[in-house]
Amino acid sequence: MGAIRFELIKTCKQSGARLGKLYTPHGEIQTPIFMPVGTQATVKSMTPQELKEINSQIILSNTYHLYMRPGHKIVEKAGGLHKFMNWDRPILTDSGGFQVFSLGPLRKITEEGVEFRSHLDGSKHFISPEKAIEIQNSLGADIIMAFDECAPYPADRDYVKNSLERTTRWAKRCKDAHKNSDRQALFGIVQGGMYKDLREQSAKEIMDIGFPGYAIGGLSVGEPKELMYEVLDYTTPLLPKDKPRYLMGVGSPDDLLEGVIRGVDMFDCVLPTRIARNGTAMTSQGKVVVRNAQYAEDFTPLDPECDCYTCKNYTRAYIRHLIKANEILGARLITYHNLYFLLKLMENVRNAIKEDRLLDYKNEFFRKYGYTL
Amino acid sequence: MGAIRFELIKTCKQSGARLGKLYTPHGEIQTPIFMPVGTQATVKSMTPQELKEINSQIILSNTYHLYMRPGHKIVEKAGGLHKFMNWDRPILTDSGGFQVFSLGPLRKITEEGVEFRSHLDGSKHFISPEKAIEIQNSLGADIIMAFDECAPYPADRDYVKNSLERTTRWAKRCKDAHKNSDRQALFGIVQGGMYKDLREQSAKEIMDIGFPGYAIGGLSVGEPKELMYEVLDYTTPLLPKDKPRYLMGVGSPDDLLEGVIRGVDMFDCVLPTRIARNGTAMTSQGKVVVRNAQYAEDFTPLDPECDCYTCKNYTRAYIRHLIKANEILGARLITYHNLYFLLKLMENVRNAIKEDRLLDYKNEFFRKYGYTL
């Protein structure tokens, strides 16, 4: 008996998108879903209460950051990540692989694992597949991720092939090391860069090991959007229909819609929270860079079509003032709105799938949002 | 008919402290009261909704900062400060004098007013008593303050005497310039430094002009606490019993209690919000510097006797982690608690006055809080 169960409710007749339910130890998730990112055991500027207000079903947290600070042993002593951060709904933790590989010259990859220096104090550390699972077992998220290598873009075929084959060997080691498969579901990650045959090889190898869910890694790493959609076009059909599919690191409205249409169930991205802190809102009319001078005397809401707390109570002029003055409330109000906007988008997407009209919804959304592919 | 009305409900038989009600255009205030500070049209890190949750009856905002950014004309166009910041309860604005005088070498005082350079961009500005009132009339707070000079500590007698006499002349000009006395109450400010006869002179001159409320300025400027209490001892009895008394810039628990006992009705201070952002909580057991290493594995609340949102849901270990990691939520959670703590303290003070036992309450509070005068 595994930690999670996935139920494919239906497939949109118009688009092929999937509507599903994911049952986890901390409750059900309606898919497709966007997962807000809480890197350091907090979705930046938000309380768990507010995350619930805007209907966040699941959040993501970062293993590398929590390992570094406060340390996974402290989180374990607190009773696990849910208790530590006061969030009783599902959590997914990444493996730390992506962050460690991003350290560039500070890290050295061997078959055994990755040696690296802390971005905080320069101290030396070593994370192997076994260690990544040990840390995630301590944190106790409902869904945990295999320790993989995410190849950069562009990367030549040989590099990507070697990298995906090591990712396969590491995935096997992760599965062997995982101690809590009754209460934490370990997802495998398909790599293979922008090469169709390598995606096929990776998908086959990872599925041969067998996992309760599959992620597509190595996308949204700098390649053109069209290329990402093309890779998705041939990768998602390789994956089993009865397991959830997670596209890592993707979260712009257009990518979410295109991903769902290609059969993806789960997404995460720092985009909505990061641009919020810089003073940019996602709205039904496209991006609004509210720190710009043109909004100094604009007494309308961030998004006139939105009914979130921010849009019901505050003007662009006020939020611009807060952002210019470096006030925390500015980051809070835009973060709240941006997450509400994306979660509402995904709710609309689920309703459109239910009614077999996701392509219509997409066209309608983009007409206002100003997106042209 | 003035903008406000003050009702002295009773005087504590044990301590002499005053219980009152202040009626304003945006509602009633139970006194004595602590006013959270929202310098730039936001109480740092808090929403107005949260300020209501913790029973903030009135907040203070800073005229100098709002004049500089976003500019009082923009606030006026927004419909006034209440609308601009989405706060429908009473607001008090200071005159900007204190901030301008704090600019040190960047300002020049003449009888006409103060010339200074902006702390933001170095641009040149001039604020006169008339200008300070014009700005405050634009902002539209329920209570506004006369433009005064707050003498530094220490300062010699001649300096303080000249300064208080100019403050008197400026107070007269402020009253003459004030346009909205039907909906904004202008308070006069008593200066006079640490000199008893000068306090008497200032109180007499300011009261001769006549205001609906009186502030005591020039305290909490670096003098020993005992000296501040001594000045209060002889200054508050000079003020009319039927008008509210406001001690500016005071907000530590001990100073609030000592101030109330000496007949003060209103207080404000950035202390609780400022120390919160540095990781320090005010608790029933005294200050808790939660960023200290000793709290890394402390899974108890900031204040075990507190029932605020922060203390009901989060541990010292988690909040320490947030503060160490520079997470906005850390500042939020401690700010929320510290303001709750002070507002609850004032509620307890009002109840103790009602029951003629404020000295008992003070002793009980300090026994736990660890305060010794």
Side-chain angles (χ1 to χ4, degrees), chain B residues 314-328:
Chain B
Y314 302 92
T315 63
R316 292 171 172 182
Y318 180 61
I319 295 171
R320 174 178 189 268
H321 162 66
L322 294 176
I323 292 287
K324 296 285 287 181
N326 277 318
E327 285 286 355
I328 286 174

Side-chain angles (χ1 to χ4, degrees), chain A residues 44-45 277 328 331-332, chain B residues 45 326-333:
Chain A
K44 287 191 192 302
S45 89
R277 296 193 302 283
I328 286 175
R332 283 187 62 182
Chain B
S45 91
N326 277 318
E327 285 286 355
I328 286 174
L329 185 57
R332 284 187 61 182
L333 294 177

Side-chain angles (χ1 to χ4, degrees), chain B residues 121-244:
Chain B
D121 61 8
S123 58
K124 214 183 254 188
H125 298 267
F126 184 77
I127 293 194
S128 59
E130 290 77 14
K131 182 78 186 174
I133 297 300
E134 182 205 316
I135 300 169
Q136 291 186 86
N137 282 169
S138 285
L139 297 174
D142 302 79
I143 300 173
I144 67 178
M145 302 301 299
F147 190 68
D148 65 329
E149 184 188 349
C150 175
Y153 176 83
D156 66 47
R157 207 176 173 287
D158 280 355
Y159 182 97
V160 174
K161 188 171 159 67
N162 284 331
S163 164
L164 87 82
E165 289 172 353
R166 184 163 46 220
T167 290
T168 297
R169 293 189 295 274
W170 285 359
K172 179 80 178 63
R173 285 166 58 189
C174 284
K175 189 173 174 179
D176 291 343
H178 183 29
K179 289 199 177 64
N180 306 332
S181 53
D182 57 322
R183 56 185 189 275
Q184 295 186 279
L186 172 63
F187 278 26
I189 303 176
V190 174
Q191 291 287 352
M194 313 300 158
Y195 302 93
K196 188 175 179 194
D197 60 329
L198 297 186
R199 285 283 170 186
E200 286 165 353
Q201 178 186 344
S202 180
K204 184 181 181 313
E205 291 177 1
I206 298 295
M207 284 159 60
D208 280 349
I209 301 171
F211 293 96
Y214 294 92
I216 302 165
L219 290 181
S220 200
V221 289
E223 78 283 7
K225 279 175 186 288
E226 292 78 358
L227 184 51
M228 176 170 91
Y229 303 154
E230 190 191 313
V231 175
L232 284 179
D233 276 333
Y234 57 66
T235 304
T236 47
L238 305 169
L239 301 175
K241 282 196 167 32
D242 62 345
K243 296 283 188 293

Side-chain angles (χ1 to χ4, degrees), chain A residues 330-342:
Chain A
R332 283 187 62 182
L333 293 177
I334 308 181
T335 299
Y336 190 101
H337 165 79
N338 281 357
L339 287 177
Y340 182 92
F341 179 80
L342 281 192

Side-chain angles (χ1 to χ4, degrees), chain B residues 280-329:
Chain B
T280 298
M282 294 173 163
T283 82
S284 55
Q285 276 93 44
K287 277 188 193 169
V288 170
V289 185
V290 77
R291 64 157 56 240
N292 286 349
Q294 70 185 102
Y295 302 113
E297 301 189 12
D298 185 338
F299 300 114
T300 65
L302 282 184
D303 185 347
E305 293 185 21
C306 180
D307 60 355
C308 81
Y309 171 72
T310 299
C311 290
K312 278 191 297 190
N313 291 290
Y314 302 92
T315 63
R316 292 171 172 182
Y318 180 61
I319 295 171
R320 174 178 189 268
H321 162 66
L322 294 176
I323 292 287
K324 296 285 287 181
N326 277 318
E327 285 286 355
I328 286 174
L329 185 57

Side-chain angles (χ1 to χ4, degrees), chain B residues 4-39:
Chain B
I4 64 164
R5 186 166 66 81
F6 180 70
E7 182 187 341
L8 179 60
I9 295 173
K10 70 162 287 181
T11 302
C12 174
K13 284 179 191 141
Q14 196 180 52
S15 68
R18 292 148 52 96
L19 187 73
K21 245 189 209 177
L22 186 60
Y23 300 86
T24 83
H26 287 86
E28 290 173 28
I29 298 161
Q30 317 292 320
T31 63
I33 189 62
F34 174 79
M35 303 182 279
V37 177
T39 297

Side-chain angles (χ1 to χ4, degrees), chain A residues 58-105:
Chain A
I58 173 174
I59 60 168
L60 178 147
S61 197
N62 291 112
T63 291
Y64 167 79
H65 288 91
L66 296 177
Y67 166 70
M68 285 293 162
R69 186 172 54 194
H72 58 296
K73 288 295 172 195
I74 283 184
V75 176
E76 189 172 32
K77 277 186 198 166
L81 186 54
H82 291 86
K83 277 205 173 166
F84 184 61
M85 66 180 292
N86 184 36
W87 174 254
D88 57 10
R89 292 189 182 175
I91 301 176
L92 181 151
T93 47
D94 67 1
S95 69
F98 186 79
Q99 275 77 22
V100 167
F101 285 102
S102 305
L103 292 172

